[in-house]
Amino acid sequence: QKEVEQNSGPLSVPEGAIASLNCTYSDRGSQSFFWYRQYSGKSPELIMFIYSNGDKEDGRFTAQLNKASQYVSLLIRDSQPSDSATYLCAASAGGTSYGKLTFGQGTILTVHP
Amino acid sequence: SQTIHQWPATLVQPVGSPLSLECTVEGTSNPNLYWYRQAAGRGLQLLFYSVGIGQISSEVPQNLSASRPQDRQFILSSKKLLLSDSGFYLCAWETVNTEAFFGQGTRLTVV
């Protein structure tokens, strides 16, 4: 059974700090990995995706992928109270379809002023 | 630009009643369409996906069914709801080499 595991948290960081969110996956056939942010009562919105080993940066966000260790992470620099949300890690078998996703249970992040 | 519409936003239904949730996508052709469910305090679980009209794949056995009568319309149904069907239902779409975009969701409470 394909599984994606996340530390459910909650993770609490002060404003301006770096928040580090981690995710592991069991299916070595997974090709692409996604980080979604979900505010309470809202639908998920995509933050970043990564499919190559290494780091990928987009503004304050950096995604890291290590396929050998089956490990994905998301770093949020200069965390803001508006970053407080649940962060969902998801894996896709890839190909040309990125919508068939296996999600982790999510990590609750709280950024306090 | 592409948009996805999902309705209703909230729904309270008695046990044993039928269900119909609708999702439509605008601004794209031949999208892949997905139904996900998020139970309270849990991650999203893929229920159904469709790569074309009339083509439905089910990921988990359950009390629900899906249909795709038109290219950009995806419907989730049940003949008789169970308490365990309560949750946040999300429709998503994607096309070749794009990420998945989610609708605003329907919060279903079965009482």
Side-chain angles (χ1 to χ4, degrees), chain B residues 30-33 49-56 68-71 74:
Chain B
N30 197 30
N32 293 334
L33 297 173
Y49 69 95
S50 172
V51 298
I53 296 174
Q55 301 179 61
I56 308 295
R68 185 169 177 176
Q70 300 180 44
D71 181 45
F74 205 22

Side-chain angles (χ1 to χ4, degrees), chain B residues 49-69:
Chain B
Y49 69 95
S50 172
V51 298
I53 296 174
Q55 301 179 61
I56 308 295
S57 296
S58 174
E59 287 296 295
V60 294
Q62 60 210 315
N63 185 41
L64 303 167
S65 62
S67 62
R68 185 169 177 176

Side-chain angles (χ1 to χ4, degrees), chain B residues 23-102:
Chain B
C23 169
T24 60
V25 180
E26 296 179 356
T28 186
S29 297
N30 197 30
N32 293 334
L33 297 173
Y34 303 84
W35 279 111
Y36 283 86
R37 178 173 62 198
Q38 188 174 37
R42 300 182 65 180
L44 278 76
Q45 180 184 38
L46 178 62
L47 302 177
F48 300 95
Y49 69 95
S50 172
V51 298
I53 296 174
Q55 301 179 61
I56 308 295
S57 296
S58 174
E59 287 296 295
V60 294
Q62 60 210 315
N63 185 41
L64 303 167
S65 62
S67 62
R68 185 169 177 176
Q70 300 180 44
D71 181 45
R72 288 170 285 179
Q73 183 184 30
F74 205 22
I75 298 172
L76 183 71
S77 303
S78 174
K79 293 182 179 179
K80 291 184 178 181
L81 284 169
L82 306 173
L83 287 173
S84 58
D85 292 323
S86 293
F88 191 36
Y89 288 82
L90 290 153
C91 180
W93 73 273
E94 50 106 8
T95 56
V96 173
N97 290 330
T98 71
E99 64 271 23
F101 297 93
F102 286 87

Side-chain angles (χ1 to χ4, degrees), chain A:
Chain A
Q1 184 176 357
K2 302 174 185 177
E3 292 185 345
V4 174
E5 298 287 340
Q6 294 181 255
N7 185 335
S8 60
L11 174 65
S12 181
V13 301
E15 184 174 357
I18 297 175
S20 178
L21 305 164
N22 305 314
C23 170
T24 59
Y25 60 95
S26 63
D27 182 12
R28 286 196 174 272
S30 298
Q31 296 292 318
S32 303
F33 304 88
F34 302 80
W35 284 100
Y36 284 84
R37 177 175 61 197
Q38 186 177 26
Y39 293 112
S40 180
K42 302 297 185 181
S43 63
E45 53 182 342
L46 183 70
I47 299 174
M48 291 188 69
F49 68 91
I50 187 168
Y51 51 84
S52 298
N53 274 326
D55 296 357
K56 179 180 179 182
E57 186 174 319
D58 184 0
R60 296 188 295 113
F61 300 94
T62 299
Q64 299 174 317
L65 173 61
N66 184 325
K67 290 187 177 181
S69 301
Q70 296 176 248
Y71 175 85
V72 191
S73 67
L74 179 70
L75 299 177
I76 306 175
R77 291 181 299 280
D78 188 23
S79 296
Q80 301 297 310
S82 59
D83 294 326
S84 299
T86 298
Y87 288 79
L88 302 172
C89 175
S92 169
T96 58
S97 172
Y98 296 136
K100 191 178 177 184
L101 300 168
T102 300
F103 281 87
Q105 70 272 33
T107 297
I108 299 171
L109 172 65
T110 301
V111 181
H112 53 87

